[in-house]
Amino acid sequence: EAKRGECNRNPGWMIVNCCKSCDDKEGFGYLIDSEVRCDPERLNSTIPAWKSGSLDELFTKWALGDEYKQYEPHVVSSPDKVHGAEYEGPWVMTFDNFLDDFEIEQLLKGASYDGFQRSTDQGKIVGGSGEMAKVTSMSRTSTNSWCRNQCENLPGVQRVSKRIEEVTGIPQNKYESFQILQYQEGEFYKRHHDSSNANNAKAAGHRILTFFLYLNDVDEGGETRFTNLDISIAPKKGRALVWPSVLNEDPNSTDVRMYHEAKEVIKGTKYAANHWIHQYDFRNANLWGCNGSFA
């Protein structure tokens, strides 16, 4: 693999799993130490997506801007209950007309390439490489498919990611690949948070924003419920649900109010997809194996 250039194409995986080969070929052996390999300066990962105040600025723009009306924005929750919000609290918004049928078909087609697998969590760090073991999730019973390679090249998938980039103003190098989800009857995801202050130690930083897309209507159940806010959002085909995981005044700190759960599907099947958006460059950090796993 080293002779075929994989140490440069997939350096993180190769350094962790074939360190001697990459050291002999490229002199990469010293990068087995994750603190050296994942140093933000070495990765050129020092430009944040958000500074203090950026969060409020973005959601206010969505609530008021004429250019977003085509997506049917709705303010579910906002600080001081401004802009017609139903609830007072941290920002939560929906766009009820964000996806069209072709884009939904493309996302589901992309999921079919690798198929849906039982959802996993990250386990303990393995040695000093920074890699974390995958463990079967006990808190969620859904299946998922990561949209990479062939899936990411589908025109409808690219169109959706580009639209998210345009409305957020955050470049796609800060996005995780689409996670496409399937919840069958009886399946759920218990209360959880999309980020934590531990992420500050990772090169890509916090997941600052979740852009969650509903790909179908569900006969009963499957709501996204913000447990600390007592707010529930029902699945609706074409709807986007968006919320931050960090504080407006300090986007490097977790907003503990944003815990949520996927309620059990009572009748039917739920399909969804999401981009998790990071404070710093995710893709380069991922290439070098600096996010706890290799994608």
Side-chain angles (χ1 to χ4, degrees):
E1 296 295 326
K3 290 180 180 178
R4 294 194 305 166
E6 287 301 305
C7 297
N8 288 303
R9 280 193 292 269
N10 295 295
W13 192 94
M14 288 293 293
I15 288 164
V16 170
N17 293 283
C18 303
C19 185
K20 187 177 186 308
S21 297
C22 285
D23 194 32
D24 292 345
K25 185 81 170 60
E26 305 289 347
F28 283 175
Y30 72 103
L31 294 175
I32 189 66
D33 183 340
S34 61
E35 290 191 8
V36 176
R37 185 175 75 253
C38 300
D39 177 78
E41 295 286 347
R42 196 192 77 80
L43 294 174
N44 195 27
S45 182
T46 58
I47 300 173
W50 282 353
K51 59 185 180 181
S52 178
S54 296
L55 191 166
D56 275 359
E57 182 181 342
L58 178 61
F59 278 80
T60 299
K61 184 170 67 172
W62 288 344
L64 299 179
D66 287 341
E67 64 268 39
Y68 306 108
K69 288 182 179 177
Q70 61 184 310
Y71 305 125
E72 300 177 20
H74 175 65
V75 181
V76 180
S77 174
S78 67
D80 300 320
K81 207 175 177 181
V82 295
H83 308 309
E86 298 176 59
Y87 302 91
E88 191 282 327
W91 287 100
V92 178
M93 283 189 67
T94 59
F95 296 97
D96 281 353
N97 185 34
F98 197 79
L99 298 170
D100 63 29
D101 288 347
F102 172 71
E103 292 161 351
I104 290 170
E105 289 168 6
Q106 292 268 282
L107 283 161
L108 292 172
K109 179 180 179 179
S112 73
Y113 292 144
D114 290 330
F116 288 101
Q117 318 258 337
R118 176 64 191 272
S119 298
T120 60
D121 292 329
Q122 289 184 332
K124 294 181 179 179
I125 294 175
V126 180
S129 67
E131 185 177 9
M132 302 173 83
K134 286 185 178 180
V135 295
T136 300
S137 177
M138 295 293 102
S139 62
R140 58 175 163 167
T141 55
S142 60
T143 54
N144 71 331
S145 179
W146 289 100
C147 182
R148 301 180 178 124
N149 303 319
Q150 190 177 3
C151 174
E152 283 186 316
N153 288 322
L154 290 170
V157 172
Q158 291 184 340
R159 199 161 81 186
V160 177
S161 292
K162 181 64 176 175
R163 183 176 307 128
I164 292 172
E165 181 179 46
E166 288 171 349
V167 300
T168 63
I170 301 172
Q172 291 183 47
N173 68 313
K174 293 178 167 61
Y175 300 9
E176 295 184 40
S177 298
F178 268 125
Q179 177 187 214
I180 305 171
L181 298 153
Q182 176 184 253
Y183 289 84
Q184 296 181 323
E185 289 183 7
E187 295 183 340
F188 57 84
Y189 191 173
K190 292 182 180 178
R191 182 179 184 269
H192 64 283
H193 201 287
D194 286 348
S195 200
S196 75
N197 285 331
N199 284 333
N200 275 334
K202 296 179 182 178
H206 272 288
R207 288 171 172 168
I208 58 172
L209 190 68
T210 299
F211 221 102
F212 194 89
L213 309 171
Y214 297 104
L215 306 184
N216 70 319
D217 298 319
V218 179
D219 292 334
E220 185 178 356
E223 298 90 350
T224 303
R225 179 173 178 266
F226 295 90
T227 55
N228 290 5
L229 308 176
D230 196 24
I231 293 172
S232 293
I233 306 297
K236 178 181 179 294
K237 185 179 181 180
R239 168 180 283 166
L241 170 63
V242 193
W243 69 90
S245 290
V246 295
L247 296 169
N248 175 62
E249 60 272 18
D250 182 9
N252 294 310
S253 292
T254 303
D255 189 337
V256 298
R257 299 171 294 178
M258 303 313 296
Y259 279 90
H260 55 283
E261 63 181 341
K263 298 290 286 183
E264 179 183 344
V265 173
I266 306 300
K267 184 179 180 182
T269 302
K270 173 184 172 181
Y271 291 100
N274 68 272
H275 268 320
W276 280 308
I277 302 178
H278 284 256
Q279 176 74 323
Y280 297 100
D281 187 332
F282 177 86
R283 291 189 180 176
N284 197 40
N286 192 62
L287 179 68
W288 284 94
C290 298
N291 293 319
S293 63
F294 298 104

